[in-house]
Amino acid sequence: MEHVPPPAEELARLDRELAELDARRAQLLTRRAWLLAALRPTVPTAAPGWNPSGWGAPPGTPAQPWGQVPKRPSAPRGAQNVLLTLGGLLLTVAAIAFTLVSWGSMGIGGRSAVLAAVTLGALAAPAVLLRRGLAATAEALAALALVLTLLDVYAVHAVAAPDTDGLGFTALASAVLAALWTSYGLALGKLRLPLPAAVVLAQWPLLFWAWAVGAPAPVVGWALLATAVLDGAIALWGKGAGVRVTACVGGAVMGFSALMVGLALSLTAPGPLGAVAPGVLLLTASAAAVAGAWRAPKGFARTGGAVAGLAAVAAVGGVPAAALPAGWRVLAYLLCGLALTAVVRSRLPGHAARGVLAASGAVVAGALVWALPPLAAVLLGPVTVLSDVWAGTPDGFRSALGSTLPWSELAAAPVVLALVAGLLGAAYRWWPSVVRLAAPLAGPTTADASPPAAGAPGTDAPGAAGGAAPWPGWTGWSGRPGAGAGGRGRPSAATLRGVVGAGAVALGWGALLLAGALLDVPHALALAGETALVGVLLALAVRGGGAERGATAMPVTALVASVAGAVSAGLLSLASEGASYAVFGALAALFAGAALRAGAGVPRAVFAVAAVVWSTVITGLAGRSLGLAPHEAAPLMLLVPALTVLLGARLRRNPVALPVELTGALGALVAVGLAVSDAPFLALVLALCGVLAAGTAVRPERRPVAGYLAATLFVLATWVRLAASEVSFPEAYTLPVTVPALLVGAARRRRDPEASSWTAYGPGLAATLLPSLAVAWTDPDWLRPLLLGTAALVITLLGARHRLQALLLLGGTVLALVGLHELAPYVVQVAGALPRWLPPALAGLLLLVVGATYEQRLRDARRLRDALGRMR
């Protein structure tokens, strides 16, 4: 055969390709070796699997056998640091021991010579060590020198100036040491410890000086503020991260302390003039915080703006607050906090301005929290009426609340709520103007991160002009792309406006309720006002039901407030009979009308459920008006569940139908609870509930649940009726029901072999077995348990033979309980004859056996479950 191409030509081609591969391999290995050599100071070992050889390695690189990874000596940094740290600590301990213990055994000359020599040596040694490249050793000796200077100061005070004031000497010494260590740290710039240590020492001179001279609290506050300002300057212009971090911590502590001193003096000022001096201190702190925020990075700028805003509110608001009564002082601070919103038109950097706005929000939130206790008392106070329903109309609104709050000191609470609600309502009404005013703070500014440049990656188009979005996801406060600041992850304009509107609704409602309590309006007027407010809130909730997506906060808030107000008004109306009918009737009508007017969804279902609840309460009130006992009023309370059954049949598959019917079922459950104390009435109520369940079961979509429920209720009603009539032979009444029921079940199984045995035979068997079992447990004779046990045994065998789950479980359960009843006396007798330690021992042994064979028992249980599941 002929080769294509010829063998010689193909061999030459293969040789050329192999030579090219060898050359490329050598080039790659050379580059890899160079990269590893460059990374060797930072990479502890070479990459796994690297097998370099002498072929292709750079000159001077020793050849390595394949599979061998070159070893690199580990840097002794960790051991060196540990040794230096331990050595420095030991020298420090020795110096302290010498100064405190052996100092007195030497003369003044020896003392001075030793301290001077050791201190100068410790201060000079780091300079020499740094020139030799021993930075870690130099740091250790610098730390020792710092401790020695502190000991020098202590020694000087103990020997040379023992009679001087300790606080004053400490202030002077800390200032001198701070200056010394600052100079030392600047001279030896490679040392990291001296400058932070100087910052720490600089915290104390002014404070200790103020204490030493017995300065009043304002002077102490100024000393703290001056120290904080010094720390701020160091944090902005200091050298090194350690210096700046130390200064930030010290400035935060000292600044907070200065603010607390100023705030305490302002709050306890005897009058407006007395509040001026602490106000000046607080204003100065605010100005210092603004100056720092102007130059600080993003996070610190926001913090500085917030601190400046809070300090300004405390300074300016404290002067008028000192002239106002205690109950109105919060209003002065609130007005000052609201005035901070003018920062949106200032020239502050963006992050600093946002911090000021955060301070404004914090002041407003604090004022609202102050107004919460009286509002909670108005909403929850009517609960006390439940202890004495229809006791009589109280004199006024407050007497119906049963609260002991100092109402005279809370006079400003409704004003605070109304003021904030009005401002939020105005913002909701003129939202475009609010967006326009806040636009400078909503987007990137020079103090913030700037958007990508024109044509940069991530922009929509080169230049991004003509209103285009600066980057993808830019939505702005208006919720439209390219319409302002915002960006991905920020709420849309509709959401923000909805939250503002929700706040206005909630606070306005609370303000009106509080105003009624503080004015102590008559009880009838309070009821009428609360009911009218519920109507207004329902109108808002219904009107906002079709709000656009993201603007649902206001209707949801109105819905929640309407339900809470309805509960409060209903409880308040229980003081008198006429008021109860009027209020609950009005509430039922209002919520029913809201359910008819609202669109489909959760609010409509809530309205309908609330209307059913108020109607159920009216039926309960009717029973009390008729003088009926609770069990006698139980059938009357089934009127509303009956109406819900009819309404459910009318609504069919409407989403509101199921919540309404479930609420009616809860009303029926309340009726059953009321009738428990009287067996005949309980049987009647259970039978009526069974009728309602049977009526519901007519509908195909409710049949699977309502059918079983109806059968259960009828059986329970029968049992209760038999027990109430003191029937000693219930079989005479149950067997005539059981036999036809079993025949009907057999016919059902013949027509539909797949039908469940519980549906076919369960009701009939339970109608006789369970009442007979209840009587057998109290029957001292032997005949009934024998007959019942025999019947249960036969039923159990039939269930096992024909694989019918209902027969097997019902028969087996009854048989086991009958056997337990018959064996119980003998078990008790045997247990009394056994030693008391034997039952716990047997129980422990059983647990051990079960635990040892747990897996086998688990498999047996699963097999039993599967076998029962395969039965019909």
Side-chain angles (χ1 to χ4, degrees), residues 675-686 715-728 730 733 771 775:
V676 167
S677 59
D678 189 272
F681 271 94
L682 179 59
L684 174 62
V685 171
L686 289 173
V715 172
L716 287 176
T718 303
W719 294 345
V720 173
R721 182 67 261 182
L722 293 176
S725 301
E726 298 181 355
V727 174
S728 57
Y733 300 91
V775 176

Side-chain angles (χ1 to χ4, degrees), residues 450-474:
S450 300
T459 56
D460 291 341
W471 51 72
W474 180 281

Side-chain angles (χ1 to χ4, degrees), residues 33 117 401 424 428 511 566 587 606 651 723 745 769 872:
L401 298 178
L424 292 178
Y428 180 82
L587 293 176
V606 174
L651 295 174
L769 289 178
R872 289 292 176 184

